[in-house]
Amino acid sequence: MPMILAANANAQGSHVGEWRHPDAWDRPAANIGNAVRLARIAEAGKFDLLFLADGNGVRNMDKPDLFAATSPSDRPGVFEPVTLLSALAMVTTHIGLVATATTTCDEPYHVARRFASLDHISGGRAGWNLVTTSNPGDALNFNHDAHVPREQRYGRAMEFATVVKGLWDSWADDAFPQDRASGRFLDPARVRALNHKGAHFTVAGPMNAPRPVQGHPVIFNAGQSEAGRELSAAHADCVFAIEGTIGRAKLLYADLRARLARHGRQPDDLKILSGVTICAAETDGDAEALMRDLDALVPDAVALDYLAKMTGMRVPGLAPDQPMPAPAEEHLGPTGIGKAIVAMAQSEGLTVRQTARRILPQMAGNMIVGSARRVADVTEEWYRGGACDGFMIAAPVAPTGLERFIRLVVPELRRRGLVRADYAGTTLRENLGLTRPSNRHFA
Ligand SMILES: Cc1cc2nc3c(=O)[nH]c(=O)nc-3n(C[C@H](O)[C@H](O)[C@H](O)COP(=O)(O)O)c2cc1C
């Protein structure tokens, strides 16, 4: 199985300062032209998929410097992701289209129907990034006074995923003969109501869409906590991992795969993509210079606010030049990412300010800056070393970073036999080497 390549399709790129760079998209807020161009670039480079992270709240209004500058994961001016991917499906033919939807603030019927539609519209290229919502403020838009505690979120997520898959199985693959001669639009023997009643949901079904082209759109998940890992083992086809060192990534990889057997699954049923920022250029020096240019576009006040956001820590109470401390308590935000940042800072002996500046490329610890050879060396080591099955790549500056990766790095990866020269199939499952799930009701 070749190395999987996923592109972060965030309109604002990935580095906190990059939207200000002269090479960046002009006016990236809700810009459909940019999105179309990025999808075409990634598909021409034979990327397996485009990924859109998402949330449902406007963030950081309590951090004025960061709020005004925004960071890529704030997304204050973006499209609803499935709506955007439906449009991108019409201008692409092979690339996978993966959108985030939350189990904490949505209903399983809505999610099942939306992704079934995207799967039909795209000819089998849809993926659902299942999140329980990392941003506490999102829940305030959905009848909550505070973020839902992690345990409750993951309990609901487990049942949510079961219901979604059940709804996708409502109809047999051949349930819609649409036969003019006999007058049978559908075959009444080939549909089943779900009749689900559980702790969180009561859903009768069946769903009013034919079974998705892929059977089930590909399910992604990025939980790092114990509950998040169990959810991945039970329901995910792909996991976005975020570990800053190859040692930690190997442990996570082995841990996730070892959990599958308890859920009646094979090790190859779960693909693990490591999140990484890759800044590639003609020479190591050119790439390093670009990163310095980007860092210079972020004032200290914005960088320190950004550290507070990413770790959930009260950074204003810390001296910028003191060593980076551990978080005082478990909090409800993206702790997997926060923990990875703190672990990286402590292992490298960074100060608070150095940590803040170190994470400006957004993807926490793992970052590769350099020539094609340097990028290929590191990604090859991770891939062949059992740390991941591929990479979720952010490439500053959007779109020139992705173009450089494709022009410089992809040929080198191909020479080393790590990535394929063309798509293996037409569906995302085929391209990721995942089997098409059988229907629980119809053999
Ligand atoms: C690559 C990557 C992408 C993520 N995308 C989102 C997202 O779009 N929306 C969201 O709410 N959380 C997102 N998260 C956060 C995870 O859903 C999760 O909350 C986080 O990794 C912490 O894990 P835990 O929930 O098990 O504590 C992402 C995490 C990673 C590593």
Side-chain angles (χ1 to χ4, degrees):
M1 179 67 208
M3 181 191 282
I4 296 167
L5 296 181
N8 178 347
N10 190 322
Q12 245 175 278
S14 60
H15 190 291
V16 175
E18 83 170 76
W19 71 271
R20 302 180 66 193
H21 192 275
D23 290 349
W25 300 116
D26 193 26
R27 305 187 68 75
N31 186 321
I32 185 67
N34 291 353
V36 168
R37 204 175 132 209
L38 190 74
R40 287 183 165 143
I41 292 168
E43 187 166 72
K46 312 298 178 192
F47 264 70
D48 291 285
L49 63 99
L50 286 176
F51 165 61
L52 286 173
D54 194 51
N56 288 281
V58 170
R59 308 177 185 191
N60 300 318
M61 294 179 78
D62 61 335
K63 300 180 181 71
D65 292 296
L66 182 60
F67 184 56
T70 87
S71 77
S73 54
D74 293 335
R75 300 179 292 266
V78 293
F79 297 109
E80 188 287 310
V82 178
T83 309
L84 174 59
L85 293 184
S86 300
L88 297 185
M90 306 317 292
V91 295
T92 53
T93 53
H94 286 79
I95 195 163
L97 304 165
V98 181
T100 298
T102 169
T103 55
T104 300
C105 309
D106 211 328
E107 288 288 326
Y109 192 97
H110 285 320
V111 169
R113 189 180 184 207
R114 223 183 290 143
F115 283 89
S117 296
L118 180 62
D119 207 48
H120 284 292
I121 289 169
S122 64
R125 295 186 281 135
W128 167 32
N129 179 37
L130 184 171
V131 297
T132 68
T133 289
S134 56
N135 180 42
D138 289 17
L140 309 187
N141 294 322
F142 298 90
N143 308 313
H144 297 287
D145 297 325
H147 201 12
V148 182
R150 175 179 286 103
E151 215 168 280
Q152 281 176 38
R153 274 187 277 146
Y154 277 104
R156 180 179 159 105
M158 277 283 189
E159 190 180 333
F160 195 115
T162 306
V163 174
V164 167
K165 288 177 172 176
L167 288 168
W168 283 336
D169 284 344
S170 294
W171 301 87
D173 290 313
D174 59 359
F176 289 86
Q178 303 169 77
D179 181 36
R180 285 180 177 154
S182 66
R184 283 163 78 85
F185 189 86
L186 57 82
D187 181 348
R190 308 292 279 164
V191 63
R192 294 285 182 279
L194 185 63
N195 291 323
H196 174 90
K197 273 196 195 341
H200 302 274
F201 303 107
T202 299
V203 182
M207 184 181 64
N208 59 349
R211 191 161 192 256
V213 175
Q214 299 182 94
H216 299 170
V218 181
I219 298 183
F220 292 71
N221 171 244
Q224 309 273 107
S225 59
E226 175 61 27
R229 291 179 189 206
E230 271 305 293
L231 180 69
S232 300
H235 289 295
D237 301 299
C238 284
V239 166
F240 292 135
I242 186 146
E243 294 291 5
T245 67
I246 187 169
R248 287 172 61 100
K250 281 184 188 176
L251 290 176
L252 177 65
Y253 190 91
D255 176 80
L256 284 169
R257 286 172 71 108
R259 289 170 191 253
L260 294 175
R262 273 189 278 122
H263 299 274
R265 305 177 67 196
Q266 303 296 318
D268 271 352
D269 291 346
L270 185 68
K271 309 294 180 190
I272 297 163
L273 306 186
S274 186
V276 58
T277 298
I278 296 181
C279 179
E282 266 75 7
T283 66
D284 292 343
D286 288 351
E288 286 156 11
L290 174 57
M291 291 310 287
R292 280 196 299 275
D293 291 348
L294 293 176
D295 288 351
L297 292 167
V298 185
D300 261 356
V302 173
L304 292 168
D305 269 359
Y306 186 65
L307 179 64
K309 165 197 161 78
M310 294 304 282
T311 59
M313 294 167 75
R314 274 184 290 279
V315 172
L318 306 172
D321 295 316
Q322 76 174 81
M324 185 67 194
E329 62 200 46
E330 174 93 338
H331 63 84
L332 292 172
T335 57
I337 295 169
K339 277 183 190 150
I341 291 169
V342 172
M344 178 268 301
Q346 294 188 334
S347 80
E348 294 183 23
L350 302 183
T351 64
V352 171
R353 193 198 318 268
Q354 286 168 334
T355 311
R357 304 219 66 98
R358 178 72 174 67
I359 63 170
L360 293 178
Q362 207 237 348
M363 284 286 193
N366 197 13
M367 177 167 67
I368 314 169
V369 178
S371 62
R373 185 171 165 188
R374 187 185 278 179
V375 175
D377 284 351
V378 178
T379 50
E380 178 167 20
E381 187 192 1
W382 279 58
Y383 175 72
R384 294 207 195 276
C388 63
D389 298 302
F391 296 90
M392 167 69 224
I393 297 170
V397 171
T400 52
L402 192 64
E403 286 170 334
R404 272 197 315 281
F405 179 88
I406 290 166
R407 179 166 53 82
L408 302 172
V409 181
V410 169
E412 179 62 24
L413 295 174
R414 263 185 214 144
R415 258 194 299 283
R416 298 181 187 200
L418 291 167
V419 298
R420 45 172 174 54
D422 206 349
Y423 290 101
T426 56
T427 71
L428 179 55
R429 276 189 183 277
E430 286 165 353
N431 287 318
L432 297 180
L434 293 165
T435 53
R436 188 176 188 276
S438 55
N439 189 316
R440 70 177 74 179
H441 304 300
F442 306 97

